[in-house]
Amino acid sequence: MARTMGRLKPYDGEFSTINDLNDIVNQLAKRLNHEKLQRNNQKPVELWAKEKEHFRSLNYDLTRYFESVQTRKVSRDSMIRFQNHQYSVSPNYIGKEVEIKPTTDGKAIHIFYQGVEIQKHDLTNKQFNYDPHDKHAILKSDLMEDKTDKEINRYMLNNLSIYDQIGE
């Protein structure tokens, strides 16, 4: 390790971006992998070739680790948290346990209550992800319970678009 770090010292200040640094490190790694080691007089690239002969390929499907069902309790604001982002469900499920199943491509989640799908969301980088129907029902159930559907829709259009920009 000390030898490797010593070889990086001359490059100090000779790069201006992370990509430049990455190129320098990759070139150094390539050279080091083709130099003989002092302790055994062998090249790392040769040792790696011998070691690979003993590896076996994985013959089972690893996707099962990524498809596992997760449970969440629906918060008071009618949201569930998944991968540090929040996704809406109907206020009917506040306080209830729901199951979250990611799609096999990892681009969406399906939300189930007692085995019945109640919502689906595409995964995004937004902090808050509301389905328009859920958003309307959430407002109608609490903050704007005395307002008409038209008033709620106008409020959503004029005042809630700022939430779409949070976390982008």
Side-chain angles (χ1 to χ4, degrees):
M1 183 62 110
R3 179 179 67 136
T4 303
M5 293 308 293
R7 296 240 183 126
L8 282 172
K9 265 198 186 303
Y11 295 103
D12 190 24
E14 291 194 22
F15 55 89
S16 55
T17 69
I18 192 72
N19 289 335
D20 292 342
L21 176 60
N22 195 34
D23 290 341
I24 290 169
V25 170
N26 286 332
Q27 289 170 10
L28 179 61
K30 193 173 190 177
R31 282 197 312 264
L32 289 173
N33 282 326
H34 287 85
E35 290 180 7
K36 288 186 177 183
L37 299 170
Q38 289 179 349
R39 73 169 186 257
N40 59 12
N41 204 31
Q42 291 183 298
K43 296 177 183 179
V45 68
E46 293 168 351
L47 293 170
W48 172 243
K50 287 179 187 176
E51 186 73 23
K52 281 196 314 189
E53 294 173 9
H54 301 285
F55 287 1
R56 291 184 298 170
S57 62
L58 297 174
N59 60 1
Y60 58 94
D61 185 12
L62 290 177
T63 58
R64 63 190 166 114
Y65 292 105
F66 300 101
E67 294 176 354
S68 61
V69 175
Q70 300 178 38
T71 59
R72 298 286 191 282
K73 186 175 182 179
V74 178
S75 68
R76 281 185 254 170
D77 54 356
S78 200
M79 304 289 276
I80 55 101
R81 183 174 291 279
F82 183 77
Q83 296 180 345
N84 285 331
H85 301 281
Q86 295 186 56
Y87 298 88
S88 68
V89 296
S90 168
N92 298 336
Y93 300 98
I94 292 174
K96 297 183 177 164
E97 291 280 328
V98 295
E99 295 179 339
I100 303 168
K101 294 182 183 178
T103 57
T104 54
D105 63 5
K107 294 183 179 181
I109 56 171
H110 296 269
I111 304 171
F112 295 84
Y113 178 70
Q114 296 182 343
V116 177
E117 185 172 344
I118 60 170
Q119 188 54 271
K120 178 187 176 204
H121 283 280
D122 291 332
L123 296 178
T124 72
N125 289 327
K126 294 184 208 172
Q127 184 61 42
F128 301 100
N129 297 274
Y130 286 97
D131 173 86
H133 294 99
D134 293 341
K135 192 186 300 186
H136 187 277
I138 292 165
L139 290 169
K140 185 76 172 169
S141 70
D142 186 28
L143 180 66
M144 305 185 88
E145 61 188 342
D146 60 333
K147 304 293 182 190
T148 66
D149 289 343
K150 189 175 181 178
E151 290 172 311
I152 293 172
N153 288 337
R154 190 170 340 130
Y155 176 82
M156 287 171 36
L157 183 64
N158 294 333
N159 299 307
L160 297 182
S161 62
I162 190 72
Y163 287 106
D164 291 338
Q165 298 167 19
I166 295 174
E168 287 186 335

